[in-house]
């Protein structure tokens, strides 16, 4: 008797997609929030099936897919090499039609990041399109670490040091970096 | 001491100019102009002598006349002034001392007052009669009043204010009242002389004067309530709560634990408290403290008391009235008109009784002691009751979510609500609050679909009890329905619930459990709820005495229905019919293939779905049912024709229980393999996945003969075999034991491959690869079958991927099987089932998905939180992997364990974390 009880519980993995498809075509479409969730779920799947080296992201454990934490490893040959940085992603309910709010949780000394972790990056603001995703954002941020945009700095001192005194810059980076281990 | 003398002088000078603060002014504030001393007159001589000694000097007559006129005036004025001085001097209030004994005579003492005083008083009181010419006269009463006011503010009030420091509210209040009483007595004492005099000279006129004074006095004293109000509130609320049997009112109601709150019955203590309270109110009334302010305080306390009663006495008490002791007559007398109802609940009745017998009584008693025009009337009591029921409704609305979860044990609370929810606004409030709670408590990923569905069923039934019209339910259920539609497994669970057993094998009813919606099956079998019965002609039922009009807030297109119709609502609302039918098809397909028998439940559900969705969409299911019923017959015929049956006995046995050969072992089964088939019409069955493999030779032979038999029976049709979908009964004869198992065909095939063809004692050994090649079977499927047989202690893994038959069992193994096989049958069963439909067999966590799961776990532990327990990881995986995470916690644990040994994970304090 155990057998059939279990059977009705555990759906066969293969039958699920068709089920899902039927539901998608069904009369009651999910609302906007659900499509956001779907999209984030898909992105998570992508991140997990084809992860990019040096970056990773995952939803926070407190339920809901709208807030994530990401990790970036500092690229080699930059002052940040060997360091890891945590970021927080907060997705608006109309994601991907609006960019996520991305902040550095780990204190970072960088020309385009201010002391509260806010980032000056065009694709997170006016250049955002729905074609971007978490992975591309993370990769852009990773490359931003090596190639800061010194034309519009949030941290003027860092921008100046970057050009004039790389040793001092590196020192500042190391002194500012701290391992945040919340929770 | 010259210094002191100087000081004394200086003070005298100061006093002569500004007056002494402690003595009253000896003359009226505006000193009457007595005129200048006339020539020839002695300066400062008493004016009374003027008339007696007319001025002998040269004055004209006219002058004299004027002078005497003036002097009369002056004379009267001075007399009045003197009298005023005498009276005010004597009546001047002494310094207030708080600790003054009651017996100590009040100043001025009566005996000390001579006739001089009374004469003076008379003059002061009636200046028109005695000194008609005095221009400047004043009212002695007004003077006394203002003197009292000043005295009170300067001397009594500070004393009261200082009392604040006293910790004990009761003692504070008592002392305050005593102080006020003393002051009150003192003030009235002074007045009493005036009153006596008035009574003496003009009897009957003192009344108005006194009334005016006491009114003024009350106004003055009332200001004293400010320093006392804190203590007053404390003492009053303590008494009130004792009298009304409430728990202490001092703590805010939100902090009260429901079990601590019990409404005490009336007792000696409450009577004592009542007496004390009334005494207190009386003394307050005597000193005049029962002003509006007191009434406001009292009203606030009573108001709080009512809320508290509702909160303490009714919270969590949801059970319906058990004993019918309350007679109808009594009920109707207790309940207010607005709450008349055919079945009032216990809480409402209790509440109304409490209001009538205790609450209103106290209010009446206290208010009747005050000299106000406020009287509690009968109508007021009705209002109290309505108010309290209203509060009860608010409480219940806030509890509604738990009430729903507790259905049907909470029907009493629903009765409360039904009694109390009368207006459209209340209904709106109810649905708003409930919808909010629903989304907070239930509609999140943490709640299982079963739980949500169970809650939904409770909701349907409890809201039906609350409001037959379903309007309320529709309002709250929409977000729930929407959410359920987003869950993948909703429909599956409903269908599975409908098809589940209501009784276990021993005939005991199965209690609704966490993993299956047995409730639905119970409902389906319950004849009281007519499935699919729709009383469309209800509007025309003239004999329906309980008819009520549609609720005012019903939307357009509203359709009434009398039954709760849980199943109907679930099926009708969640998902489209196609979805339901598809799911139903899948499930009955599996059931049909796996079991035999009459399929009564399936037929019943099929009928139910037919009434709901119509015959046409369910045609496929009908065909499936017919296939199964037909193949039973065809099977018999084919087998007979092909001489597959050795005897008549065997046919009957197999037809009764064709596949369950465990108990009734067919004679044929001992000799050679036997074959029974179910013939399915391919077009009508859901997609059946099949793994092909080579069936054992003997079976293949049988299949061929069966095929021939079938083709001779139904010439135009062709049989295609679906190897993996069947069931096999396998009997294994090992050296020391015989094992009989009902297994899947592919499992049987794998063990067939181990058959020892040789007669020697060599133990059969096979590798996974060999078996897969020989049987042309999928590697994964082979592994799964091997694992199954290993669990059954038929095989054991001699080296990785190499299995051998365990011909003999050592003693501890022999002891193990019963317990362990039973214990491991659950996870084993789950494997089998995921494999049973032949979709994709998995062994543990399959290699191909392993990488992805590992990425998930890494991502989780890198980003989400650095350490996580097994449960958490499993939950996150289940929640986040869109195609589902079908493995059990044990399997996950095994997988994580592998990672720990690999060194990429470590297990610290029951939590996993990434090895740095």
């Amino acid at each position: 008797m155990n057998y059939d009880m279990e059977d009705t519980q555990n759906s066969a993995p293969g039958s699920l997609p068709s089920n899902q498809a039927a539901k998608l075509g069904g009369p009651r479409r999910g609302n906007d929030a659900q499509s956001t969730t779907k999209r984030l779920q898909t992105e998570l799947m992508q991140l997990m099936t084809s992860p990019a080296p040096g970056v990773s992201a995952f939803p926070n454990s407190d339920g809901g897919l709208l807030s994530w934490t990401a990790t970036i490893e500092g690229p080699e040959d930059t002052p940040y090499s060997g360091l890891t940085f945590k970021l927080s992603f907060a997705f608006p309910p109309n994601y991907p039609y609006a960019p996520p709010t991305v902040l550095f949780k780990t204190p970072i000394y960088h020309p385009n990041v201010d002391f509260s972790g806010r980032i000056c990056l065009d694709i997170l603001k006016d250049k955002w399109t729905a074609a971007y995703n978490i992975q591309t954002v993370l990769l852009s941020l990773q490359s931003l670490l090596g190639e800061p945009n010194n034309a519009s700095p949030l941290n003027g001192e860092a921008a100046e040091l970057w050009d004039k005194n790389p040793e001092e810059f590196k020192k500042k980076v190391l002194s500012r970096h701290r391992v945040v281990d919340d929770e | 001491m010259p210094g002191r003398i100087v000081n004394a002088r200086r003070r005298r000078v100061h006093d002569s100019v500004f007056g002494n603060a402690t003595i009253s002014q000896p003359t009226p504030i505006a000193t009457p102009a007595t005129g200048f001393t006339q020539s020839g007159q002695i300066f400062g001589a008493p004016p009374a002598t003027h008339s007696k000694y007319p001025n002998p000097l040269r004055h004209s007559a006219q002058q004299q006349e004027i002078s005497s006129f003036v002097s009369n005036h002056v004379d009267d004025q001075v007399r009045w002034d003197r009298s005023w001085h005498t009276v005010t001097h004597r009546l001047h209030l002494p310094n207030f001392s708080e600790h003054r004994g009651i017996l100590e005579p009040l100043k001025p003492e009566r005996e000390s007052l001579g006739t001089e005083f009374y004469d003076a008083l008379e003059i002061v009181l009636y200046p028109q009669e005695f000194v008609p010419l005095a221009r400047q006269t004043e009212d002695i009463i007004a003077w006394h009043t203002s003197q009292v006011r000043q005295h009170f503010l300067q001397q009594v009030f500070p004393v009261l204010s200082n009392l604040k420091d006293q910790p004990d509210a009761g003692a504070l209040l008592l002392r305050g009242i005593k102080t006020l009483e003393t002051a009150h007595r003192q003030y009235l004492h002074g007045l009493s002389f005036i009153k006596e005099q008035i009574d003496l000279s003009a009897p009957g006129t003192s009344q108005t004067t006194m009334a005016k004074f006491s009114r003024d006095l009350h106004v003055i004293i009332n200001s004293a309530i400010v320093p006392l109000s804190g203590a007053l509130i404390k003492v009053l609320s303590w008494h009130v709560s004792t009298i009304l049997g409430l728990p202490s009112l001092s703590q805010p109601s939100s902090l009260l634990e429901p079990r601590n709150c019990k409404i005490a019955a009336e007792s000696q203590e409450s009577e004592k408290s009542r007496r004390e309270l009334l005494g207190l109110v009386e003394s307050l009334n005597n000193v005049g403290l029962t002003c509006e302010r007191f009434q406001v305080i009292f009203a606030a306390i009573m108001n709080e008391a009512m809320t508290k009663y509702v909160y303490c006495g009714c919270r969590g008490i949801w059970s319906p009235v058990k004993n019918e002791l309350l007679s109808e007559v009594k009920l109707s007398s207790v309940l207010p008109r607005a709450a008349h109802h055919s079945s009032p609940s216990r809480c409402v009745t209790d509440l109304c009784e409490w209001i009538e017998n205790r609450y209103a009584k106290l209010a009446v008693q206290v208010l009747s002691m005050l000299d106000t025009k406020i009287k509690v009337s009968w109508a007021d009591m009705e209002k109290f009751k309505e108010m309290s029921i209203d509060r009860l409704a608010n409480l219940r609305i806030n509890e509604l979510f738990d009430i729903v979860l507790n259905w049907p044990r909470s029907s009493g609370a629903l009765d409360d609500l039904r009694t109390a929810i009368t207006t459209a606004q209340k209904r709106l409030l109810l649905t708003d609050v409930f919808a909010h709670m629903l989304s907070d408590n239930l509609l999140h990923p943490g709640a299982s679909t079963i739980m949500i569905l169970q809650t939904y069923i409770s909701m349907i039934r409890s809201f039906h009890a609350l409001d037959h019209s379903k309007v309320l339910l529709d309002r709250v259920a929409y977000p729930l329905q929407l959410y359920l539609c987003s869950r993948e497994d909703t429909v599956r669970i409903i269908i599975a619930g409908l098809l589940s057993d209501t009784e276990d094998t021993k005939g005991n009813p199965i209690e609704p459990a966490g993993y299956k919606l047995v409730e639905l099956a119970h409902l389906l079998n319950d004849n009281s709820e007519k499935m699919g019965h729709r009383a469309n002609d209800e509007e025309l039922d003239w004999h329906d005495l309980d008819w009520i009009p549609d609720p005012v807030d019903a939307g357009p297109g509203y359709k009434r229905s009398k039954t709760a119709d849980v199943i109907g609502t679930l099926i009708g609302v969640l998902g489209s019919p196609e979805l339901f039918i598809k799911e139903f098809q899948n499930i009955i397909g599996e059931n049909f293939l796996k079991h035999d028998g009459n399929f009564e439940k399936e037929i019943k559900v099929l009928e139910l779905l037919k009434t709901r969705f119509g015959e046409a969409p369910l045609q496929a299911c009908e065909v499936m049912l017919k296939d199964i019923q037909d193949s039973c017959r065809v099977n018999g015929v084919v087998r007979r024709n092909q001489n597959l049956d050795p005897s008549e006995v065997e046919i009957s046995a197999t037809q009764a229980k064709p596949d369950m050969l465990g108990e009734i072992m067919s004679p044929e089964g001992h000799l050679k393999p036997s074959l029974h088939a179910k013939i399915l019409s391919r077009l009508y069955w859901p997609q059946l996945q099949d793994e092909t493999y080579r069936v054992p030779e003997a079976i293949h032979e049988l299949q061929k003969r069966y095929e021939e038999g079938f083709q001779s029976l139904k010439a135009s049709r062709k049989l295609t075999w679906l190897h993996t979908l069947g069931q096999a009964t396998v009997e294994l004869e090992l050296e020391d034991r015989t094992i009989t198992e009902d297994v899947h065909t592919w499992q049987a095939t794998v063990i067939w491959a181990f058959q020892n063809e040789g007669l020697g004692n060599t133990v059969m050994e096979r590798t996974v690869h060999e078996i897969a090649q020989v049987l042309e079977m999928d590697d994964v499927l082979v592994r799964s079958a091997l694992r199954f047989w290993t669990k059954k202690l038929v095989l054991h893994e001699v080296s990785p991927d190499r299995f051998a038959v365990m011909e003999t069992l050592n003693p501890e193994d022999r002891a193990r099987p019963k317990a362990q096989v039973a214990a491991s049958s659950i996870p084993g069963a789950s494997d089998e089932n995921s494999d049973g439909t032949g979709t994709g067999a998995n062994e543990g966590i399959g290699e191909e998905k392993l990488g992805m799961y590992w990425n998930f776990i890494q991502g989780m532990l890198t980003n989400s939180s650095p350490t996580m327990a097994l449960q958490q990881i499993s939950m996150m995986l289940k929640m986040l992997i869109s195609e589902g995470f079908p493995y059990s916690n044990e399997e996950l644990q095994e997988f994580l364990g592998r990672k720990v040994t690999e060194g990429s994970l470590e297990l610290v304090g029951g939590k996993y974390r990434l090895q740095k």
Side-chain angles (χ1 to χ4, degrees), chain A residues 96-99 121-132 137 149:
Chain A
Y97 302 106
L121 182 62
D122 53 357
I123 64 159
L124 288 176
K125 298 196 169 68
D126 48 338
K127 293 279 168 55
W128 172 264
T129 73
Y132 287 115
V137 167
N149 177 9

Side-chain angles (χ1 to χ4, degrees), chain B residues 192-224:
Chain B
S192 67
F193 297 110
I194 301 172
K195 178 175 181 281
E196 270 167 36
Q197 192 61 41
I198 293 176
D199 282 342
L200 221 69
S201 32
T205 54
S206 66
Q207 207 66 37
T208 48
T209 325
M210 292 305 288
K212 184 170 177 298
F213 176 74
S214 62
R215 206 181 62 224
D216 290 346
L217 186 59
H218 280 174
V219 171
I220 294 165
I221 291 185
N222 268 332
S223 60

Side-chain angles (χ1 to χ4, degrees), chain B residues 354-386:
Chain B
W354 179 80
I355 293 278
E356 183 162 325
N357 296 337
R358 296 175 80 172
Y359 190 86
K361 185 173 152 198
L362 180 68
V364 168
Q365 276 174 332
V366 169
L367 286 182
S368 65
M369 300 204 70
L370 313 179
D371 350 291
T372 50
K373 288 169 218 87
I374 309 165
K375 290 280 171 274
V376 181
S377 68
W378 184 256
D380 286 332
M381 200 179 68
E382 292 281 294
K383 256 196 203 110
F384 288 160
K385 286 179 182 171
E386 279 163 30

Side-chain angles (χ1 to χ4, degrees), chain B residues 369-630:
Chain B
M369 300 204 70
L370 313 179
D371 350 291
T372 50
K373 288 169 218 87
I374 309 165
K375 290 280 171 274
V376 181
S377 68
W378 184 256
D380 286 332
M381 200 179 68
E382 292 281 294
K383 256 196 203 110
F384 288 160
K385 286 179 182 171
E386 279 163 30
M387 275 163 66
S388 63
I389 288 178
D390 193 55
R391 270 168 219 191
L392 179 65
N394 284 343
L395 172 73
R396 289 286 185 255
I397 287 175
N398 287 322
E399 288 179 324
L400 188 56
F401 187 70
D402 295 323
I403 293 176
V404 165
L405 289 185
N406 273 310
W407 168 268
R409 290 181 297 282
S410 56
S411 61
L414 291 172
D415 283 340
D416 288 345
L417 269 179
R418 198 173 42 208
T419 317
I421 303 285
T422 43
T423 61
Q425 282 93 335
K426 274 262 175 242
R427 288 161 69 96
L428 203 61
L429 176 71
L430 179 136
T431 49
D432 282 355
V433 170
F434 188 78
H436 193 73
M437 281 191 285
L438 200 61
S439 61
D440 276 3
N441 293 329
L442 200 65
L443 305 185
H444 54 74
S448 71
T449 309
I450 295 234
M451 202 167 99
I452 299 176
L453 279 171
Q454 273 165 342
T455 312
Y456 190 26
I457 293 174
S458 299
M459 267 169 67
I460 295 174
R461 312 183 87 185
S462 46
F463 273 78
H464 180 72
L466 187 62
D467 167 42
H468 285 305
S469 66
K470 276 192 175 180
V471 172
L472 293 182
L473 179 65
D474 285 347
R475 268 197 236 146
V476 293
Y478 186 68
L480 185 75
Q481 292 163 2
L482 210 62
Y483 186 77
L484 276 177
C485 287
S486 73
R487 291 258 177 153
E488 308 287 352
D489 48 353
T490 307
V491 174
R492 176 169 279 266
I493 286 173
I494 293 173
I495 300 282
L498 284 173
L499 291 175
S500 61
D501 295 309
T502 52
E503 289 176 344
D504 59 20
T505 41
K506 291 176 195 118
N508 301 321
I510 292 175
E511 284 304 307
Y515 59 93
K516 211 159 192 191
L517 273 182
V518 186
E519 292 96 326
L520 285 181
H522 279 291
L523 281 176
L524 190 62
N525 293 332
D526 189 1
N527 291 328
S528 69
E529 192 161 347
K530 287 275 184 292
M531 285 311 117
H533 162 80
R534 289 198 215 142
N536 285 331
D537 53 348
E538 203 180 303
E539 293 293 340
L540 302 174
D541 185 3
W542 306 110
H543 300 290
D544 184 5
L545 289 179
D546 293 330
W547 184 88
I548 42 165
D550 289 352
V552 282
D553 42 1
Y558 166 76
K559 244 184 171 175
R560 62 170 55 246
S561 92
K562 269 204 133 169
T563 54
D565 193 14
V566 175
I567 298 179
T569 313
L570 281 182
I571 293 180
V573 156
L574 301 172
S576 55
E578 300 86 59
L579 205 57
F580 254 95
I581 291 165
K582 199 162 176 168
E583 208 51 68
F584 179 67
Q585 227 175 334
N586 281 335
I587 294 176
I588 57 169
E590 277 172 36
N591 283 0
F592 283 159
L593 289 181
K594 233 193 227 160
H595 306 289
D596 293 281
N598 294 330
F599 300 110
E600 271 169 35
K601 289 191 303 259
E602 282 78 1
I603 294 170
K604 207 173 207 169
V605 178
L606 181 61
E607 290 302 314
L608 168 74
L609 290 175
K610 267 203 275 186
T611 53
R612 201 153 285 280
F613 301 134
E615 300 256 353
L618 286 154
Q619 202 191 1
C621 299
E622 287 271 303
V623 173
M624 286 163 71
L625 185 64
K626 196 161 174 295
D627 274 349
I628 294 299
Q629 285 163 346
D630 281 352

Side-chain angles (χ1 to χ4, degrees), chain B residues 618-673:
Chain B
L618 286 154
Q619 202 191 1
C621 299
E622 287 271 303
V623 173
M624 286 163 71
L625 185 64
K626 196 161 174 295
D627 274 349
I628 294 299
Q629 285 163 346
D630 281 352
S631 50
C632 210
R633 212 175 45 244
V634 173
N635 185 38
V637 175
V638 170
R639 285 172 62 83
R640 206 170 33 248
N641 292 350
Q642 290 294 315
N643 296 324
L644 291 172
D645 301 329
S647 65
E648 291 293 318
V649 184
E650 203 252 315
I651 298 170
S652 59
T654 47
Q655 268 182 341
K657 260 188 173 200
D659 267 325
M660 302 289 234
L661 295 181
E663 293 92 43
I664 311 164
M665 184 55 72
S666 67
E668 177 202 12
H670 281 292
L671 306 170
K672 53 178 179 171

Side-chain angles (χ1 to χ4, degrees), chain B residues 725-745:
Chain B
L725 289 181
Q727 293 273 331
T729 303
V730 182
E731 197 183 299
L732 301 172
E733 277 176 26
L734 300 170
E735 271 178 26
D736 59 345
R737 64 199 190 280
T738 307
I739 293 174
T740 310
E741 287 282 351
D742 284 331
V743 296
H744 292 293
T745 43

